[in-house]
């Protein structure tokens, strides 16, 4: 802390610490605490809130597991399956982005130089000037039954009938992978850029192939950046709403859609809060578990 103050000056240091603390408390901690408290409440009319019936309960969490039956005799398989499918889909999208972005990040960090590197970075950033909703609808048009891809495949004679990419969730996974691709590229780019190229050259001189160089040198060095990118992509994908609603097929219900239904259509804010807290805990637990598996500390991600 002393070094931070000396580097930035007392006034600037206090301002940065105060702004960050205010942001964390007001925008993250307090809303989550209010939602956590709300998740343990009954769904009461406004007149009864604060009265004798306004007590804590686990009924909202029990509903997620057991449904209206309220016992182990009948699990809430619909909501639980949507919950599990959302987590699995988020992992799948994260792996897709990692496979796509790692080569790009390495190329930007160690190969592309000067105007070429700047042009590539601008090419990645400029498409995100378009609103997320517009991008999602653009993907729906591209992957639609009469969209660009189907028309092109029919024109080439590769298919006789249009493929329903929406129902098969191809459009959904493509849209989600594209939506958060920058959050995977730049953390890996920042990590790989600081890698001493002499290590790579030494490994090549000793006869190591590119796969072995990346597996033994580059990837271990870039683990913090990979972990940071995977964490952000996984969390945002699991909590996505716009893309699943626009690009999802009839059978691709996202857990966030269930949360919104409880808040809006169902009018049950305590149950919606319980569902949201359950998703948050599951995502954080999964990320911490994977960090432990790959032996990555939280402090390394913030480097």
């Amino acid at each position: 802390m002393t070094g931070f103050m000396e580097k930035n000056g007392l006034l600037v240091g206090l301002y940065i610490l105060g702004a960050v603390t205010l942001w964390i408390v007001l925008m993250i901690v307090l809303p989550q605490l209010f939602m956590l408290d709300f998740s343990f409440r009954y769904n009461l009319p406004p007149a009864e809130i604060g009265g004798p019936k306004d007590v804590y309960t686990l009924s909202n969490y029990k509903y997620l597991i057991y449904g209206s039956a309220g016992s182990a005799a009948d699990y809430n398989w619909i909501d639980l399956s949507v919950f599990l499918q959302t987590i699995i889909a988020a992992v799948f999208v994260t792996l897709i982005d990692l496979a796509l972005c790692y080569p790009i990040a390495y190329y930007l960090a160690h190969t592309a130089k000067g105007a070429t590197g700047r042009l590539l970075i601008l090419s990645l950033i400029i498409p995100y000037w378009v609103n997320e909703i517009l991008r999602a609808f653009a993907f729906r048009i591209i992957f639609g039954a009469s969209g660009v891809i189907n028309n092109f495949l029919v024109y080439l004679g590769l298919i006789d009938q249009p493929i329903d990419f929406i129902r098969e969730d191809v459009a959904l996974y493509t849209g989600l992978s594209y939506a958060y691709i920058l959050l995977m590229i730049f953390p890996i780019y920042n990590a790989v850029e600081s890698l001493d190229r002499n290590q790579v050259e030494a490994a090549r001189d000793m006869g190591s192939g590119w796969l072995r160089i990346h597996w033994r040198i580059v990837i271990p060095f870039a683990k913090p950046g990979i972990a940071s990118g995977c964490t952000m992509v996984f969390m945002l994908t699991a909590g996505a709403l716009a893309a699943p609603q626009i690009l999802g097929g009839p059978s691709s219900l996202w857990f966030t859609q269930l949360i919104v239904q409880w808040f809006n259509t169902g009018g049950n804010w305590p149950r919606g809060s319980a569902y949201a807290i359950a998703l948050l805990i599951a995502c954080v637990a999964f990320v911490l578990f994977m960090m432990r598996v790959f032996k990555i500390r939280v402090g390394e991600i913030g480097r």
Side-chain angles (χ1 to χ4, degrees):
M1 184 65 69
T2 304
F4 176 79
M5 291 297 183
E6 292 177 353
K7 180 179 179 181
N8 297 280
L10 181 62
L11 184 61
V12 176
L14 289 176
Y15 170 78
I16 294 175
L17 290 177
V20 171
T21 302
L22 190 66
W23 169 266
I24 293 175
V25 172
L26 292 182
M27 299 298 178
I28 300 176
V29 176
L30 288 181
Q32 296 302 322
L33 289 178
F34 280 121
M35 184 170 289
L36 179 64
D37 178 77
F38 218 54
S39 69
F40 289 104
R41 301 285 185 174
Y42 285 103
N43 186 32
L44 300 173
E48 297 183 6
I49 295 178
K53 294 182 179 180
D54 191 7
V55 295
Y56 289 105
T57 177
L58 292 173
S59 60
N60 297 309
Y61 292 95
K62 288 182 178 179
Y63 188 92
L64 172 60
I65 300 174
Y66 302 119
S68 56
S71 66
D74 185 18
Y75 288 98
N76 188 2
W77 293 115
I78 296 178
D79 290 0
L80 290 176
S81 63
V82 172
F83 183 87
L84 183 60
Q85 288 173 8
T86 300
I87 298 297
I88 294 175
V91 172
F92 185 61
V93 170
T94 303
L95 293 176
I96 292 175
D97 275 355
L98 178 59
L100 291 174
C101 296
Y102 176 80
I104 298 174
Y106 182 84
Y107 181 81
L108 287 173
H110 283 269
T111 303
K113 298 299 177 183
T116 302
R118 291 192 294 271
L119 179 61
L120 288 175
I121 292 176
L122 284 175
S123 300
L124 290 171
I125 294 176
I126 288 177
Y128 287 85
W129 292 1
V130 180
N131 183 272
E132 180 184 1
I133 305 296
L134 296 179
R135 294 201 308 267
F137 276 109
F139 272 102
R140 189 173 183 88
I141 294 172
I142 291 173
F143 285 97
S146 58
V148 176
I149 295 179
N150 270 312
N151 288 336
F152 185 68
L153 293 176
V154 171
Y155 174 78
L156 293 178
L158 298 177
I159 59 174
D160 297 326
Q161 298 293 331
I163 301 173
D164 195 343
F165 291 110
I166 304 297
R167 181 178 295 274
E168 298 298 329
D169 292 334
V170 176
L172 175 59
Y173 286 115
T174 304
L176 286 172
S177 299
Y178 175 75
Y180 309 118
I181 200 169
L182 291 185
L183 298 178
M184 182 69 76
I185 288 179
F186 287 119
I188 300 176
Y189 168 80
N190 289 332
V192 175
E193 189 182 29
S194 59
L195 174 64
D196 187 359
R197 298 183 184 180
N198 292 326
Q199 297 184 40
V200 177
E201 294 298 329
R204 292 181 62 185
D205 292 341
M206 295 177 67
S208 296
W210 277 113
L211 289 179
R212 187 173 180 83
I213 291 173
H214 283 274
W215 183 254
R216 298 296 297 273
I217 298 176
V218 182
I219 292 179
F221 185 84
K223 272 203 307 184
I226 294 173
S228 177
C230 289
T231 299
M232 289 189 289
V233 172
F234 174 80
M235 288 294 194
L236 290 174
T237 303
L241 179 61
Q245 284 186 332
I246 297 172
L247 298 174
S251 61
S252 61
L253 187 63
W254 220 251
F255 195 73
T256 49
Q257 293 174 278
L258 295 181
I259 296 174
V260 171
Q261 288 177 7
W262 281 119
F263 273 107
N264 294 339
T265 307
N268 194 331
W269 283 46
R271 188 158 295 164
S273 299
Y275 275 46
I277 293 295
L279 179 62
L280 174 63
I281 293 175
C283 289
V284 172
F286 181 81
V287 168
L288 293 178
F289 172 74
M290 295 307 298
M291 289 175 61
R292 186 176 182 84
V293 169
F294 290 101
K295 298 179 182 180
I296 300 172
R297 294 188 298 270
V298 176
E300 292 179 327
I301 297 179
R303 289 192 315 188

